[in-house]
Amino acid sequence: MTAKEKQRLAERAINIALDSGAQESAVIISDSKSSAVEVREGKIDKLEQSDQMGLSIRLLVDNKFSAHSTNRLDDASEVKRFIQEAVSATRFLSEDPLRALPDPGLYYQGGGPDLKLWDETIESVDPRTRIDAAFAAEKEIAGSDERIISVSAGYSDGYSNRFMVTSNGFRGEKANTFFGMGASVSVRSGEARPEGYWSENSLFYNRLQRKGIGEKALDRAIRKIGQRKIASGRMSMIVENRIAGRLLGAVITAMNGSSIQQKNSFLIDALETQIASEALTVTDDPFVISGQGSAYFDSEGLAMRRRTMIEKGVLKDYYINTYYGRKLEMNPNSGDTSNLIFGHGENDFSGLAGQVQKGVLVTGFNGGNSNGSTGDFSFGIEGFYIERGEILHPVSEMNISGNMKEIWKRLAETGNDPYLNSSWQIPSMLFNDVDFSGI
Amino acid sequence: MNLNRRTFIKTGSSAVAGVMLLPSLAGSCSSAVISENVKEYLDHFGVTPEILRKIVSVAMSRGGDYADLFFEHKISNALALQDGTVNRAFSNIDYGVGIRVLKGDQTGFAYSESVNEKSMSDAALMAANIASSGNSFSASPLTEKAPASFYELKKRWEDVSVGEKVPFLQMLNDRVFSLDSKVVKVSASINDETSRIMFYNSEGMLSWDYRPLVSMSVVCIMQKGSQIENSYSSRSFRTGFEWISESLVDELSAEVVNNTNLLFDAVKPRAGEMPVVMGAGGSGILLHEAIGHTFEADFNRKGTSIFSDKMGKKVAADFVNIIDDGTLLNNRGSLNIDDEGNEVQKTYLVKDGVLNSYIHDRISAAYYGVNPTGNGRRQDFRNMPLPRMRATYMEAGPFTREEIFNNIDYGVYVDQFSNGEVKIGAGDFTFFAKSGYLIEKGKLTQPIKDINIIGNGPQALADITMAADDYLIDNSTWSCGKDGQTVPVTCGLPSILVKKLTVGGTN
């Protein structure tokens, strides 16, 4: 479907909604496509292709709210019936006067320069290129070490596109391409079969790091040989950049308007208070060129801004959408994160490790959870034991436990290694005095 | 590994009942031998046996060994209460056909959201490319395989209006508030789903299923001074509207209020290794994580599971019988037919302490030369089937709960869980206990909360030293994720003692 056709479909859907009795409506036409190859033992293990299109619609009918979606778009009369019945069903609900589309003055008005999220190459990548890329990652290591049990490698690419129209004047389109590769290796170590994994991704084909993926996966598997748990105790902890989102995620969720309004946040009334050490500064920057979370508007159409969320440990802002903004009597500023950019420390990864007298470098989480209301958390971990700045041996089958309100105050330093494969560009982080459970 | 899966814009969870849409009907089929049941499904998806054969021929045109078509039409509805009123509803309609081609253990997969011949042929050709030789396929005559009947259904969700569900959520809200003055927030929802499935493969086999699924859930938040605590309860079954009742509301509200209340006085246990008693029911998450995933035959076929060379070996005490069962009546994990047309079974994974069977899909069953166990499952037509669990539980053991506790000087008792995870190769698994109790000198003492517990699968299995006679299936809304695909499951356990696991806590 061309952009024009999508716009026509969206506008038609809104008109049907309004004609059926809705006062306000927002429609998103989304389409996406992806192709993926996975190879194993010199053969193609899986070839997959995905191609989807859908319509989703939000309705406000006499102050009552509902949202619906369908992928049955071939037959115009069926789409019409779907929306008419959705409007009728909405009438059974209770009124919720705080539901409304955003104030049109807060919508993105257009005119921003290209954020460079689309790579034309996507049109020309052929199946052979995908297969060759995956085989190349596998070949880096296949047969290179007798401890290897299994090597899988994969390549995928595709695009995602959303066209959004609202009944109070918003029109916007967002699209991005993506390219990714990864490899997974299992090695034998007595009874255990540790696994190593590495992946790279990018919005641009030419910027996708294609070399070294197999090697890094193998290296990570081999380094795990001999994993064991160590005695319980309070120690330092370094969290590797690529997994640190698991810890930060609990904080971001607690900053969300719906969590706060539902009293399911440990950051209620915490604006302008110290929630972390001075080492933590987080900026939400939607305008990073080719950033994985870059966008001019959010899922409601609200114009996004560059915002300081946490400055030297002080909470400066929440994520507030239109509905929870009204409930909380706060100004909506977007309920979505874009790119999270961190203040960088001086040290690289080994610089952080060098400062640790006794501690664990955490390279993987295994389960665990965090209590939204209280901030209590407990996570399974694996990684490496560090003593006097030196990595001694791999560890596993251990837990860390604590409270989000406390652990972030023990953040000693952030590394200079932001993780660029994600919209959350988190650096490695060093925490002091963390509760580890082991033997 | 999950390099390839990206779920874009997961459109809402679901649908308002009453918006059920029948796809436009194509001409009815001409064949005289097909039953009314099959005719209904063919008409529903607007295809004929001739079209099915044609698409399968395209799928097999590059020399594949086998191909299947998975037609699905799913209508999902969610209705939710927040801040005292039922003020939001969501619905989703999803429709399409997944086309899979196998060549040995290699898979080609594509899907079409349209069932017109051109779109289906394009997808079939895409999937066909997993093979690269000539075509020697000749279509087999169509054979019908009637599904089993593991779900009872009186009133279908398609026939239930939003208005009929609203009073139950309102009642649940009011009940929770009335049970404790500390309650400050309640949110509740009813999620229902109806899937029509039609399956056809290159062997000519045609089957079908009509799958209902419902869950009712409630979140309770209480405040005492400045302390805020939350808990969550839910139930889920494959059944109809008749299941939603006042007694269900009573059960959920009492449970969520009790569980939230416990947390105000809860402490954290000591950090480290200790005996863990797992209460009957939801503790089955232990089996799901510690054993279930590592028994999935795709991992074992590739040699990446810690259980890869343990078939037929003694892995647990004699009284340990672990089952993965897709045949429990109305169970959330049950299926009348699996997602690759195979009969669903009650499968003994561990029998009398000996590893008895892996969890198989078609590819792994062929690899191991065994019959499929009916564990081939997929999230939807957009995804290929994988070996997946259904209801995973352990049979009752020879001890009593009292005998179990008597053995413990210091340990923890856990019976409320939120999530778990496992590393297949290393065997390390975890589960997160929302609440439980300390055990001191054989007695339950203080409540505990929010602790992660970690162990190693084979070791934990060997460390199950006692099991009680109180086996129970937990009917909460469990979902299992693997390779980016989520499927409904359940779990169950009698009270058991695991001699030693590592408990998250304070030093």
Side-chain angles (χ1 to χ4, degrees):
Chain A
M1 225 181 255
T2 64
K4 263 248 152 57
E5 288 168 329
K6 281 182 210 164
Q7 180 165 347
R8 258 204 302 274
L9 175 59
E11 280 167 0
R12 200 179 140 256
I14 285 189
N15 287 334
I16 295 167
L18 300 183
D19 289 348
S20 310
Q23 285 76 42
E24 296 192 309
S25 176
V27 169
I28 294 172
I29 308 295
S30 55
D31 75 297
S32 62
K33 191 164 184 164
S34 71
S35 302
V37 185
E38 195 173 315
V39 301
R40 212 182 129 247
E41 291 176 355
K43 287 194 304 188
I44 299 171
D45 197 51
K46 289 173 187 165
L47 265 184
E48 261 188 291
Q49 175 123 328
S50 161
D51 194 346
Q52 66 189 88
M53 169 149 313
L55 174 153
S56 64
I57 184 163
R58 280 179 283 149
L59 297 170
L60 281 150
V61 184
D62 305 336
N63 283 328
K64 298 167 179 180
F65 169 81
S66 69
H68 312 266
S69 53
T70 180
N71 74 339
R72 299 276 300 163
L73 305 179
D74 291 351
D75 180 350
S77 66
E78 188 179 320
V79 172
K80 183 171 180 181
R81 195 149 52 101
F82 172 73
I83 295 170
Q84 287 171 336
E85 294 192 19
V87 170
S88 310
T90 309
R91 299 187 194 277
F92 285 106
L93 300 170
S94 295
E95 286 191 26
D96 193 352
L98 297 177
R99 287 280 185 188
L101 291 180
D103 172 353
L106 299 177
Y107 282 142
Y108 172 60
Q109 309 291 333
D114 184 6
L115 289 171
K116 296 199 185 339
L117 308 175
W118 186 270
D119 181 359
E120 298 294 341
T121 314
I122 193 70
E123 310 291 340
S124 56
V125 181
D126 61 20
R128 198 65 244 172
T129 307
R130 298 188 185 107
I131 293 167
D132 289 347
F135 275 131
E138 188 197 13
K139 281 198 189 100
E140 280 181 9
I141 48 169
S144 69
D145 189 304
E146 61 186 16
R147 292 166 291 187
I148 294 176
I149 303 168
S150 172
V151 178
S152 294
Y155 169 95
S156 66
D157 61 34
Y159 67 79
S160 157
N161 178 298
R162 304 174 64 134
F163 193 92
M164 184 168 147
V165 175
T166 70
S167 60
N168 65 348
F170 180 81
R171 300 269 173 291
E173 187 178 14
K174 268 199 234 196
N176 68 272
T177 49
F178 65 83
F179 301 84
M181 279 186 68
S184 161
V185 182
S186 292
V187 295
R188 190 180 300 274
S189 148
E191 287 284 293
R193 293 153 193 251
E195 233 180 324
Y197 179 70
W198 191 261
S199 67
E200 297 283 353
N201 60 70
S202 171
L203 301 186
F204 283 78
Y205 181 74
N206 285 333
R207 288 179 217 159
L208 176 66
Q209 178 62 46
R210 279 181 286 267
K211 285 223 165 71
I213 290 172
E215 284 167 3
K216 285 188 181 118
L218 175 61
D219 181 55
R220 286 175 82 89
I222 286 185
R223 282 165 59 203
K224 288 185 189 175
I225 289 178
Q227 282 181 323
R228 62 182 198 263
K229 57 181 143 180
I230 56 173
S232 304
R234 289 174 85 87
M235 291 175 269
S236 297
M237 170 173 79
I238 299 175
V239 180
E240 192 185 16
N241 58 3
R242 56 197 299 125
I243 60 160
R246 188 84 163 248
L247 273 190
L248 186 78
V251 179
I252 299 295
T253 304
M255 290 162 71
N256 199 286
S258 68
S259 308
I260 293 162
Q261 194 272 334
Q262 285 297 302
K263 293 188 180 278
N264 199 2
S265 165
F266 55 88
L267 294 178
I268 294 171
D269 297 330
L271 280 182
E272 299 299 335
T273 65
Q274 195 83 33
I275 62 160
S277 78
E278 290 204 354
L280 189 67
T281 293
V282 183
T283 306
D284 192 298
D285 186 353
F287 308 136
V288 176
I289 296 299
S290 300
Q292 303 211 0
S294 296
Y296 282 116
F297 56 90
D298 73 357
S299 52
E300 292 189 284
L302 294 175
M304 297 187 87
R305 291 179 292 117
R306 189 170 186 279
R307 297 192 278 156
T308 302
M309 304 307 297
I310 299 170
E311 189 171 24
K312 294 192 169 174
V314 176
L315 180 64
K316 304 301 282 187
D317 212 345
Y318 288 133
Y319 288 98
I320 307 288
N321 69 10
T322 301
Y323 179 60
Y324 288 99
R326 287 173 158 227
K327 285 201 164 190
L328 291 164
E329 298 180 351
M330 290 180 176
N331 291 325
N333 53 27
S334 175
D336 307 341
T337 61
S338 64
N339 300 294
L340 296 186
I341 309 297
F342 290 72
H344 297 168
E346 309 273 298
N347 283 305
D348 63 6
F349 191 71
S350 54
L352 291 183
Q355 303 171 45
V356 172
Q357 278 306 304
K358 182 173 159 62
V360 174
L361 158 62
V362 174
T363 55
F365 286 109
N366 189 353
N369 210 330
S370 166
N371 181 326
S373 298
T374 64
D376 288 323
F377 69 84
S378 187
F379 296 104
I381 59 111
E382 63 177 358
F384 297 88
Y385 179 57
I386 305 176
E387 222 174 71
R388 290 185 210 90
E390 228 179 293
I391 290 180
L392 292 186
H393 64 81
V395 299
S396 69
E397 214 189 314
M398 295 181 67
N399 288 309
I400 57 165
S401 302
N403 187 286
M404 287 289 164
K405 287 182 283 193
E406 291 155 17
I407 191 170
W408 286 98
K409 291 186 178 153
R410 295 194 224 114
L411 174 66
E413 198 177 327
T414 56
N416 63 0
D417 57 350
Y419 184 57
L420 300 176
N421 272 334
S422 165
S423 57
W424 293 13
Q425 301 185 3
I426 313 181
S428 297
M429 298 188 287
L430 168 63
F431 295 87
N432 287 326
D433 212 17
V434 176
D435 260 320
F436 282 85
S437 311
I439 297 172
Chain B
M1 189 173 59
N2 177 24
L3 307 175
N4 38 12
R5 202 94 48 190
R6 299 202 178 208
T7 314
F8 306 111
I9 312 159
K10 193 83 182 162
T11 33
S13 46
S14 20
V16 172
V19 295
M20 159 71 181
L21 291 175
L22 283 174
S24 50
L25 300 183
S28 16
C29 5
S30 51
S31 168
V33 294
I34 56 172
S35 70
E36 278 305 307
N37 270 329
V38 169
K39 187 172 171 326
E40 183 193 324
Y41 278 83
L42 289 170
D43 286 353
H44 188 90
F45 289 103
V47 292
T48 61
E50 292 69 36
I51 294 175
L52 296 180
R53 272 193 285 273
K54 221 181 223 164
I55 302 303
V56 161
S57 299
V58 175
M60 297 290 281
S61 62
R62 299 278 161 88
D65 300 331
Y66 167 90
D68 55 32
L69 315 179
F70 181 85
F71 291 84
E72 179 180 36
H73 180 193
K74 183 177 347 189
I75 303 152
S76 327
N77 297 298
L79 184 66
L81 172 147
Q82 194 181 83
D83 291 332
T85 61
V86 182
N87 51 26
R88 61 203 69 185
F90 307 93
S91 77
N92 183 46
I93 292 178
D94 206 20
Y95 183 95
V97 54
I99 301 177
R100 173 174 75 150
V101 180
L102 299 183
K103 179 76 185 172
D105 54 9
Q106 300 171 271
T107 306
F109 183 82
Y111 66 85
S112 166
E113 293 183 302
S114 237
V115 294
N116 69 56
E117 245 183 276
K118 166 83 173 66
S119 304
M120 288 196 290
S121 288
D122 288 351
L125 197 55
M126 198 70 69
N129 283 325
I130 193 67
S132 54
S133 57
N135 180 13
S136 57
F137 176 70
S138 60
S140 311
L142 187 148
T143 53
E144 293 182 16
K145 181 167 172 180
S149 170
F150 299 129
Y151 347 120
E152 290 172 327
L153 179 68
K154 290 203 182 89
K155 185 161 181 178
R156 308 190 310 172
W157 294 103
E158 299 158 70
D159 302 330
V160 182
S161 77
V162 169
E164 290 172 88
K165 296 182 238 181
V166 163
F168 291 98
L169 287 178
Q170 199 66 57
M171 194 193 302
L172 180 53
N173 176 75
D174 300 348
R175 199 65 53 94
V176 173
F177 271 104
S178 72
L179 285 172
D180 199 301
S181 60
K182 294 193 294 301
V183 176
V184 290
K185 292 279 181 187
V186 171
S187 47
S189 65
I190 295 173
N191 293 65
D192 63 76
E193 195 178 289
T194 301
S195 300
R196 282 181 173 77
I197 306 291
M198 184 173 74
F199 179 89
Y200 178 76
N201 68 17
S202 53
E203 293 156 2
M205 193 269 271
L206 190 147
S207 192
W208 63 94
D209 196 7
Y210 180 92
R211 295 178 183 163
L213 183 64
V214 56
S215 72
M216 189 167 185
S217 62
V218 58
V219 178
C220 167
I221 304 211
M222 289 190 191
Q223 187 163 5
K224 185 163 137 190
S226 64
Q227 192 182 355
I228 300 177
E229 296 287 355
N230 71 71
S231 193
Y232 164 86
S233 287
S234 67
R235 295 289 183 276
S236 178
F237 288 93
R238 287 201 187 275
T239 188
F241 180 62
E242 64 278 6
W243 171 72
I244 305 269
S245 66
E246 192 169 346
S247 67
L248 172 66
V249 166
D250 287 343
E251 186 180 326
L252 283 170
S253 49
E255 181 180 290
V256 82
V257 167
N258 286 340
N259 288 343
T260 317
N261 246 326
L262 269 184
L263 304 174
F264 285 96
D265 301 315
V267 295
K268 290 218 162 165
R270 268 182 225 157
E273 293 181 340
M274 64 189 74
V276 176
V277 177
M278 316 231 9
S283 299
I285 188 172
L286 170 89
L287 304 178
H288 184 98
E289 303 299 351
I291 296 138
H293 278 297
T294 50
F295 279 25
E296 287 167 347
D298 47 348
F299 299 123
N300 288 285
R301 172 170 68 84
K302 295 171 186 174
T304 58
S305 165
I306 190 145
F307 280 100
S308 291
D309 43 24
K310 296 252 196 296
M311 185 53 67
K313 295 194 176 146
K314 181 91 175 153
V315 292
D318 287 347
F319 61 80
V320 174
N321 289 297
I322 299 170
I323 292 152
D324 185 75
D325 195 341
T327 71
L328 299 175
L329 192 64
N330 296 345
N331 190 277
R332 177 174 163 83
S334 290
L335 296 172
N336 287 335
I337 189 145
D338 84 356
D339 295 334
E340 35 183 23
N342 287 314
E343 207 168 291
V344 171
Q345 302 176 353
K346 173 178 177 180
T347 312
Y348 276 83
L349 305 179
V350 174
K351 192 145 180 51
D352 303 328
V354 175
L355 178 47
N356 181 64
S357 174
Y358 291 131
I359 287 169
H360 288 291
D361 64 357
R362 174 177 277 272
I363 295 177
S364 71
Y367 176 87
Y368 282 100
V370 297
N371 289 324
T373 53
N375 287 90
R377 301 186 65 185
R378 59 214 297 171
Q379 176 176 291
D380 51 33
F381 69 89
R382 293 191 174 83
N383 292 281
M384 61 178 73
L386 297 169
R388 303 297 297 265
M389 284 172 264
R390 300 158 307 199
T392 313
Y393 57 93
M394 182 174 149
E395 290 179 343
F399 301 95
T400 62
R401 261 170 75 100
E402 290 65 37
E403 288 171 318
I404 291 178
F405 287 119
N406 282 341
N407 274 313
I408 297 164
D409 187 47
Y410 184 92
V412 295
Y413 171 80
V414 283
D415 62 357
Q416 298 294 328
F417 305 90
S418 63
N419 57 290
E421 197 173 318
V422 60
K423 307 254 186 229
I424 297 298
D428 290 353
F429 70 91
T430 71
F431 50 87
F432 188 82
K434 192 76 189 124
S435 66
Y437 288 90
L438 285 181
I439 308 170
E440 290 168 296
K441 304 206 182 325
K443 295 267 180 304
L444 296 182
T445 55
Q446 267 183 293
I448 53 171
K449 64 175 178 182
D450 296 326
I451 52 166
N452 202 48
I453 298 182
I454 192 163
N456 189 268
Q459 189 59 49
L461 195 48
D463 279 349
I464 298 176
T465 51
M466 299 176 89
D469 47 8
D470 55 352
Y471 147 77
L472 192 71
I473 286 272
D474 185 79
N475 289 306
S476 301
T477 311
W478 292 102
S479 292
C480 169
K482 173 178 169 183
D483 281 6
Q485 296 194 47
T486 302
V487 296
V489 295
T490 56
C491 58
L493 201 72
S495 299
I496 62 166
L497 169 62
V498 185
K499 208 168 61 184
K500 195 171 73 178
L501 291 171
T502 297
V503 174
T506 48
N507 289 289

